Amino acid sequence: MRKYIVYILLLINYSILLNDLSAQPIKKDYSRKVDSLLQQMTLEEKVGQMIQYSNDKLQTGPTIKNQNHVEEIKKGMVGSMFNIITVERARQYQDLAMQSRLKIPLIFGLDVVHGMRTIFPIPLGEAASFDLKMIKKTARIAASETSAYGIHWTFAPMVDIARDARWGRGMEGAGEDTWYGSQVAKARIEGFQGTDYSRQNTVLACAKHLAAYGAALAGKDYAEADISDATLHQVYLPPFHSAVKAGVATLMTGFNEINGIPATAHKYLQSELLKEKWGFKGFTVSDWGSIGEIARHGMGKDNKDATRIAVIAGCDMDMHSMSYKRNLVDLVNEGQVDVNLIDNAVRRILTLKYELGLFDDPYCYNNRYQELSDKKIINEHRKSARLMGSKSIVLLKNNQVLPIQPHISNIALIGPLNKASKDMLGNWKAVGDEKEVVTVDEGLRNAIPHAQISYIEGYDLENNELKPLPALDRFDMIIVAVGERAMESGEARSKVDINIHRNQQLLVKQLKEKSNKPVVALIMGGRPLIFSDMEPYADAILMTWWLGSEAGNSVADILTGKYNPSGKLPVTFPKQVGQCPIYYNQKRTGRPWVPNNLYVSGYCDETALPAYPFGFGLSYTQFEIDTPVLEKEKYFFNEPIKVKVKVRNNGKYKGIETVQLYLQDVVSSITRPLIELCGIRQVELAPKEEKIVEFILFTEDLSFYSHEKVFITEPGEFKLFAGNSSDNLRATSFELLETRISSNK
Ligand code: NOJ
């Protein structure tokens, strides 16, 4: 009985911990403690705090071994370790730090990108849910599991805007839209960090990669971002600003250069904008080796020069390049680097260590490890993973074959991805175990035990060679999984060809032609993929990304209609690679594209339209969204603009719709996109039910980065569009009166 009560209390307490964390972290003032510690530190010890090494056993970048790190930690010459994934190892390392003169604890980091042990959908998949509460919740759970492993800091969220499907790292972010990316950044950070870092189930977040890493030329990873100042500020920086406003503890610089300056060497970005203008109080960390790489970019004549440039730019911690270790003490002693810069960086790092509670108890997180063997707790986490998986799936096509109806009793399940477990975990999987993954094959068998399900390989997962097919006449339905492998998207996974392999597409065609039965295609992948050849032969198409530990159950819930699809694309799916980069909020042109016209902005061998637009996603029911309604036709500056939109469910299933609100600044002093997302509302409706959703826009929401290099809002006409996809919208308009103002954005 007693055990029972304790258990219930634990669960109640636990759920309070999981939910009760929102808004900016509350901070105590540790400045006196930090200053007094700083005064006791030698220059070597100070520089040590700015050094971070990867554990040798897990390397997430080009190998640089450092045999001496154990001795260095004992001497207090290391501030942080990362890639440690066992509690024992974390304890051993912290024991070493406790042998140092000042006993400054290490801070442990890890890439917990979409889950620690319970793996959630890849971030791009989660973004497709358009469910910010759920996104926050999965980050919350990830933080809870991560901290139970004794890890204090995740290198997430990635808040890079990704407009080019060739770039492999789009999978780690929230897609192509700046407004939505900023909301997702906030949700993830609040989920990871909560309101008090010293609570035992939170971790520090790290918004990365400052900045414009996703603007890599031709989608090639690590390549230059040659973009205008306006694009940098208007498109790529707002998610970072949103992260700072949400109280993010740390930021990571990118590998790329922006308009001639490597991100890690970028003084304007790290110091002037981030720390001075935006008032960021945490610390910045380089990406893996990116300080050393400054010299390879051709800025700085050698590693020492690169070090000088990075520290002057404001890069507080060196991730695994050994540059600070090799050069920083000398640079200060030679007068090339002002010691105040070092003090400033160390002050930021120590403050966060105090805020984390590390000085009170360097091991404080380790005693929660038992929680992870508690089945009830893990099951709760997996329940969220299952729901998030279903919410992430996007229904791209449905010729009324889904959801699976009761008369379907004989199903052919084709393609090895249906049995894949490791792939379901995606590229970043922390300690996620493939043995704990529910495959699609398992999920479907559990969901419809009455049906006979026959697995057929169809093609070889390694080389895509087609395998012979049996007779298909006896089946009522064919479900085929195609796409890329999990490790085909992520860091260093840029591609010139994002078509689904031609043999896989041929297989779908053959399945339809040979059987003439309903064919359902499950598309798996970490980026927009192209599948025009097979599209006409599939009766239903679902984009299922990589859904994590509960992947199979999430897919089965969608196929059976237990969960009515509600996902929307956070990225545009092109028809051809040659259309990349393609994104919905492109600028207007003097010669807009219209079909069958020569002198228009498009291609002479393909339409300018995508295969599937941003915001698109079907449901098993049919929603109708009315024209947005405003209270007035004219508004003054600083007057809130209330927008009402009526949504109706005209179909026969209950479902969730995401009402999307887009904006157009009709005439402005610099050209603006055709439309830009400025709000989303999710609404659940029973058949025949209707509801009115409300949006409120403020003057700041109408602003843009001007010639004068500040955000301004100009008076004049604005159009507002509401709908359930960026290509299915109804419009209204209003006028903004008075003179323009500049904002502090
Ligand atoms: C390189 C990646 O760019 C970065 O996102 C990651 O956090 C580090 N490696 C550490 O693994």
Side-chain angles (χ1 to χ4, degrees):
M1 182 62 182
R2 207 185 113 96
K3 198 170 154 208
Y4 216 74
I5 294 173
V6 168
Y7 189 73
I8 290 171
L9 285 176
L10 188 90
L11 272 186
I12 294 173
N13 202 7
Y14 183 78
S15 69
I16 292 172
L17 282 177
L18 271 192
N19 297 316
D20 171 35
L21 295 167
S22 58
Q24 279 243 2
I26 310 154
K27 304 255 174 94
K28 286 197 202 132
D29 183 7
Y30 288 104
S31 53
R32 282 177 53 201
K33 287 191 171 175
V34 169
D35 282 341
S36 115
L37 187 53
L38 209 54
Q39 273 167 18
Q40 299 169 54
M41 293 169 81
T42 63
L43 177 60
E44 286 74 10
E45 285 166 336
K46 288 178 185 173
V47 168
Q49 285 305 306
M50 298 168 71
I51 292 171
Q52 182 186 54
Y53 293 133
S54 169
N55 180 20
D56 282 349
K57 302 242 158 34
L58 175 68
Q59 300 259 323
T60 46
T63 311
I64 309 175
K65 293 241 176 199
N66 176 17
Q67 312 294 3
N68 292 329
H69 67 283
V70 167
E71 285 313 307
E72 287 172 37
I73 296 171
K74 283 203 232 164
K75 287 191 193 139
M77 308 265 199
V78 180
S80 169
M81 292 290 297
F82 70 114
N83 284 340
I84 294 165
I85 48 170
T86 63
V87 175
E88 297 73 40
R89 200 93 178 115
R91 186 172 278 279
Q92 282 163 11
Y93 273 119
Q94 204 63 291
D95 281 342
L96 296 175
M98 289 304 106
Q99 292 175 39
S100 66
R101 190 176 75 90
L102 293 170
K103 303 196 183 341
I104 301 177
L106 291 165
I107 175 171
F108 299 123
L110 186 70
D111 291 280
V112 180
V113 174
H114 52 113
M116 179 66 178
R117 174 177 160 185
T118 308
I119 303 299
F120 298 99
I122 56 167
L124 187 62
E126 284 201 347
S129 74
F130 278 78
D131 186 334
L132 294 165
K133 275 198 189 140
M134 265 313 276
I135 290 175
K136 180 169 164 182
K137 185 167 185 190
T138 61
R140 179 87 293 285
I141 294 171
S144 168
E145 291 187 358
T146 306
S147 50
Y149 273 83
I151 289 157
H152 319 117
W153 179 22
T154 174
F155 304 134
M158 186 188 96
V159 305
D160 296 311
I161 297 300
R163 292 171 149 189
D164 194 327
R166 292 171 296 180
W167 190 54
R169 293 200 82 171
M171 61 148 287
E172 289 175 53
E176 72 189 35
D177 184 65
T178 300
W179 179 87
Y180 182 51
S182 303
Q183 311 302 312
V184 174
K186 177 174 183 288
R188 291 206 163 116
I189 287 159
E190 288 178 355
F192 285 134
Q193 297 193 158
T195 47
D196 181 355
Y197 304 151
S198 71
R199 280 169 94 152
Q200 292 203 352
N201 67 341
T202 59
V203 291
L204 302 186
C206 179
K208 66 189 189 184
H209 307 82
L210 188 72
Y213 180 36
L217 188 72
K220 197 167 55 154
D221 211 359
Y222 318 123
E224 72 208 70
D226 194 0
I227 53 176
S228 73
D229 206 32
T231 301
L232 175 66
H233 285 85
Q234 185 85 43
V235 177
Y236 291 95
L237 287 174
F240 290 96
H241 197 188
S242 165
V244 172
K245 286 192 258 185
V248 73
T250 68
L251 274 98
M252 187 186 294
T253 57
F255 289 119
N256 57 302
E257 64 124 288
I258 310 126
N259 303 336
I261 303 183
T264 310
H266 219 296
K267 193 170 175 204
Y268 167 72
L269 285 181
Q270 294 179 79
S271 295
E272 290 160 31
L273 186 69
L274 178 67
K275 293 177 183 167
E276 284 163 37
K277 187 158 183 220
W278 292 351
F280 171 66
K281 296 281 180 285
F283 67 83
T284 57
V285 59
S286 75
D287 203 340
W288 179 291
S290 70
I291 295 178
E293 288 174 22
I294 292 173
R296 293 212 198 144
H297 278 284
M299 192 176 167
K301 56 183 187 305
D302 52 24
N303 190 261
K304 189 168 175 183
D305 210 17
T307 306
R308 180 185 61 79
I309 292 169
V311 82
I312 289 176
C315 185
D316 301 314
M317 189 178 274
D318 175 1
M319 180 189 280
H320 209 72
S321 87
M322 316 280 279
S323 306
Y324 282 6
K325 171 185 154 55
R326 289 186 190 128
N327 309 304
L328 206 42
V329 170
D330 288 349
L331 283 164
V332 175
N333 286 336
E334 289 160 12
Q336 294 199 57
V337 165
D338 185 343
V339 73
N340 285 325
L341 284 175
I342 310 293
D343 285 352
N344 190 314
V346 178
R347 198 173 273 121
R348 288 169 180 272
I349 294 164
L350 292 178
T351 303
L352 274 173
K353 289 188 175 180
Y354 271 109
E355 286 171 357
L356 266 170
L358 283 178
F359 283 94
D360 296 330
D361 177 6
Y363 305 99
C364 59
Y365 296 90
N366 291 347
N367 54 14
R368 284 186 44 244
Y369 188 64
Q370 303 312 328
E371 264 175 27
L372 298 178
S373 29
D374 187 321
K375 280 221 167 79
K376 280 236 167 102
I377 290 178
I378 289 299
N379 283 346
E380 279 300 307
H381 294 183
R382 292 187 68 109
K383 245 165 72 187
S384 295
R386 179 174 184 161
L387 179 61
M388 192 42 150
S390 297
K391 281 176 176 275
S392 303
I393 293 173
V394 186
L395 179 64
L396 296 175
K397 178 177 180 182
N398 189 14
N399 289 341
Q400 299 198 331
V401 295
L402 290 178
I404 299 175
Q405 298 299 317
H407 71 271
I408 303 283
S409 58
N410 208 340
I411 298 175
L413 188 63
I414 302 182
L417 286 168
N418 285 309
K419 287 214 176 207
S421 48
K422 198 167 167 199
D423 287 279
M424 299 302 130
L425 297 175
N427 190 321
W428 291 107
K429 55 183 170 37
V431 298
D433 185 350
E434 62 181 288
K435 292 200 266 330
E436 293 181 355
V437 166
V438 179
T439 65
V440 172
D441 182 274
E442 289 160 352
L444 202 59
R445 284 176 205 277
N446 292 339
I448 32 178
H450 66 274
Q452 203 187 328
I453 297 174
S454 310
Y455 172 73
I456 298 163
E457 201 176 358
Y459 62 93
D460 186 300
L461 198 51
E462 300 304 324
N463 60 21
N464 287 302
E465 290 300 321
L466 291 183
K467 299 271 170 107
L469 289 172
L472 300 166
D473 310 339
R474 67 190 165 102
F475 298 112
D476 306 319
M477 174 176 271
I478 291 167
I479 299 174
V480 54
V482 292
E484 59 176 19
R485 305 288 306 268
M487 295 311 281
E488 285 182 63
S489 50
E491 186 183 348
R493 266 60 169 203
S494 292
K495 280 182 167 182
V496 294
D497 186 0
I498 55 169
N499 281 279
I500 290 184
H501 195 279
R502 63 181 181 287
N503 281 356
Q504 293 187 24
Q505 298 207 58
L506 184 64
L507 172 66
V508 177
K509 179 170 185 264
Q510 286 176 357
L511 290 172
K512 186 69 195 176
E513 285 176 346
K514 285 194 179 159
S515 72
N516 204 24
K517 295 289 165 58
V519 172
V520 176
L522 307 175
I523 312 278
M524 304 192 178
R527 67 172 89 226
L529 291 167
I530 298 171
F531 39 88
S532 333
D533 291 346
M534 58 166 257
E535 194 277 340
Y537 304 97
D539 299 281
I541 302 177
L542 291 159
M543 183 67 203
T544 69
W545 320 102
W546 302 118
L547 296 176
S549 311
E550 284 284 322
N553 286 331
S554 307
V555 171
D557 288 346
I558 291 281
L559 291 172
T560 57
K562 189 170 167 197
Y563 188 91
N564 185 355
S566 58
K568 303 278 179 184
L569 293 178
V571 271
T572 304
F573 275 43
K575 278 186 189 210
Q576 303 262 4
V577 183
Q579 292 176 313
C580 292
I582 181 169
Y583 45 93
Y584 83 93
N585 51 353
Q586 291 187 357
K587 294 285 198 72
R588 283 170 271 177
T589 153
R591 297 187 175 192
W593 181 81
V594 270
N596 309 319
N597 250 285
L598 187 55
Y599 295 104
V600 291
S601 178
Y603 305 96
C604 60
D605 57 349
E606 180 56 270
T607 80
L609 298 175
Y612 301 96
F614 174 86
F616 176 79
L618 302 169
S619 162
Y620 294 150
T621 198
Q622 286 80 42
F623 293 103
E624 195 185 332
I625 299 181
D626 279 2
T627 306
V629 177
L630 291 161
E631 288 168 321
K632 318 194 275 179
E633 286 172 5
K634 294 177 196 236
Y635 292 85
F636 287 105
F637 268 91
N638 297 329
E639 203 185 340
I641 300 161
K642 282 198 190 141
V643 193
K644 289 189 176 162
V645 185
K646 193 187 278 175
V647 202
R648 239 183 327 277
N649 181 351
N650 291 334
K652 51 181 187 178
Y653 296 95
K654 185 175 86 172
I656 295 175
E657 180 59 298
T658 302
V659 183
Q660 304 161 36
L661 190 71
Y662 295 83
L663 179 79
Q664 185 194 84
D665 188 347
V666 180
V667 180
S668 41
S669 54
I670 60 169
T671 57
R672 306 284 307 120
L674 187 59
I675 52 168
E676 293 170 278
L677 187 68
C678 61
I680 50 165
R681 290 280 179 278
Q682 288 201 321
V683 56
E684 182 164 25
L685 295 174
K688 309 287 169 255
E689 195 185 359
E690 64 179 35
K691 277 187 189 158
I692 292 176
V693 296
E694 196 172 296
F695 299 83
I696 302 184
L697 295 176
F698 298 95
T699 305
E700 201 184 73
D701 298 321
L702 313 176
S703 68
F704 62 88
Y705 193 75
S706 69
H707 272 314
E708 292 84 39
K709 299 195 181 298
V710 281
F711 277 88
I712 61 167
T713 306
E714 291 178 339
E717 189 191 351
F718 288 85
K719 282 190 181 155
L720 278 176
F721 306 81
N724 59 4
S725 163
S726 63
D727 76 339
N728 182 26
L729 300 168
R730 290 179 170 172
T732 187
S733 62
F734 66 91
E735 194 185 335
L736 188 69
L737 303 167
E738 265 187 41
T739 46
R740 59 196 223 164
I741 54 155
S742 50
S743 90
N744 251 343
K745 238 184 184 181

